Each structure stands twice: as C-alpha cells, then as structure tokens.
Amino acid sequence: CGARRRGMPRAGVWARAGGGEAAAARGRGGARAAGGGGGWGAGAAVRCSNGHAHRDAGTGEWRGQGDAMEVALDVFARRLGIDTDADRAALRPDARFPFDPRRRRMSIVADGEVVVKGAPDAVLPLCAPTDAGPVLAELTDRGLRVIAVAGRQVAGALPGSADEAERDLRLYGLAALED
C-alpha cells in the first residue's frame, strides 16, 4: 500500500508478547512491529476503526477512506499479514461506542470481545497494571502520536454503555504514528 506517499501517517505497534512485554522492532516501510502479539494488537486497532485502505477498482491504486490515522493502522495491519477486508466483512458488532472527544476513546463489542482504542491517558487507567510506561514515554518523547489498544472478553449480557464495556481491560498494545 502506498499510504506514506499519499501523505498518510506511518504506523507501528508495541505489544505484549505472551505474558511479558515486548519492545517494538523496526519493520518494513518505516513501520514498527512487535514480536508475538504485534499483529494481534494491530488487528484489534483496525476492528475498532472506521477508516481503511482499499484498492480503487478503476485505477488499481490504493486509496484511503476515512480518518488518515485509521487508514495508516489498516495499512500497517495488512503489512503484518492481517486480512482486514475479510475481517471487516465478517465483523458484526453487537455494540459500538463512537469516539467521544471528552472520553478520548472509542470501543466496539463483537464476537464476545470488547476492543477499546484511544489516547493512552484515557485507556491505560482502565487496564490491569502494565509496565508500558517507559515505552509510552520513549514514543511520545520522539514526537510520535500514540494510541492505546486494549480489550477484554465479554461473558453473559452485553455491556449497555461505554462505561460498562470499558472496564477491567488488558492492554494489547500501543500504536505509534509518525505524521
């Protein structure tokens, strides 16, 4: 995908790998990918997005649809081998709590899972303790825009509000974007 040439931000992730933390490693095209859970964190970020990349049927060129940050996350997930088109086609959300500038996050409930994406200072307090702080500081000190992605399994009744959905989360990763 030629997203960088089109002025879209570059994206990368830092993710939890198994039970421990994993630092990100440089990936293809300037993107940063983490070992282990990196693809999963990128896939979760895309599920909790409205923007995506698509191939123009007439020209065959890649184009972004929607928010440039979300398009960059979609491109990054594709580079990690995630079929975001198939996931988007199969995804049937049970609930969606749109981005709210006061809450600074958005969430989706689908397939028995809540996924939350937003500003780290709005998402991390909702998560079990993690040692992502030094990585977050390093990314922000470099001037990168950072998005936290977290989630949890849902058993029983579906959450009826964002507050019910966005609790007891586990941090999946941090997406870092370079404008």
Side-chain angles (χ1 to χ4, degrees), residues 22-35:
R26 179 94 14 216
R28 183 175 149 202
R32 292 170 56 83

Side-chain angles (χ1 to χ4, degrees), residues 22-134:
R26 179 94 14 216
R28 183 175 149 202
R32 292 170 56 83
W40 204 94
V46 170
R47 282 188 141 212
C48 194
S49 293
N50 298 312
H52 63 277
H54 66 93
R55 192 178 295 268
D56 184 280
T59 66
E61 290 184 17
W62 285 96
R63 303 218 184 266
Q65 180 174 331
D67 180 76
M69 178 203 65
E70 293 182 345
V71 172
L73 291 171
D74 183 76
V75 169
F76 182 67
R78 289 170 186 269
R79 287 182 176 171
L80 292 175
I82 297 169
D83 187 345
T84 62
D85 292 328
D87 189 61
R88 194 172 20 269
L91 185 65
R92 300 290 179 254
D94 296 310
R96 186 181 294 272
F97 303 103
F99 180 81
D100 180 305
R102 288 169 289 151
R103 294 180 328 111
R104 299 179 45 222
R105 61 185 180 268
M106 66 183 294
S107 58
I108 185 171
V109 182
D111 300 328
E113 179 184 29
V114 173
V115 177
V116 180
K117 178 182 74 178
D121 62 341
V123 175
L124 292 176
L126 306 172
C127 297
T130 179
D131 60 354

Side-chain angles (χ1 to χ4, degrees), residues 69 118-120 135-136 138-140 143-148 173-177:
M69 178 203 65
V135 174
L136 176 60
E138 186 248 326
L139 295 171
T140 57
L144 299 173
R145 180 177 178 187
V146 181
I147 305 296
L174 302 172
L177 296 119

Side-chain angles (χ1 to χ4, degrees), residues 7-20:
M8 291 179 214
R10 285 194 236 184
V13 299
W14 169 90
R16 294 181 59 93

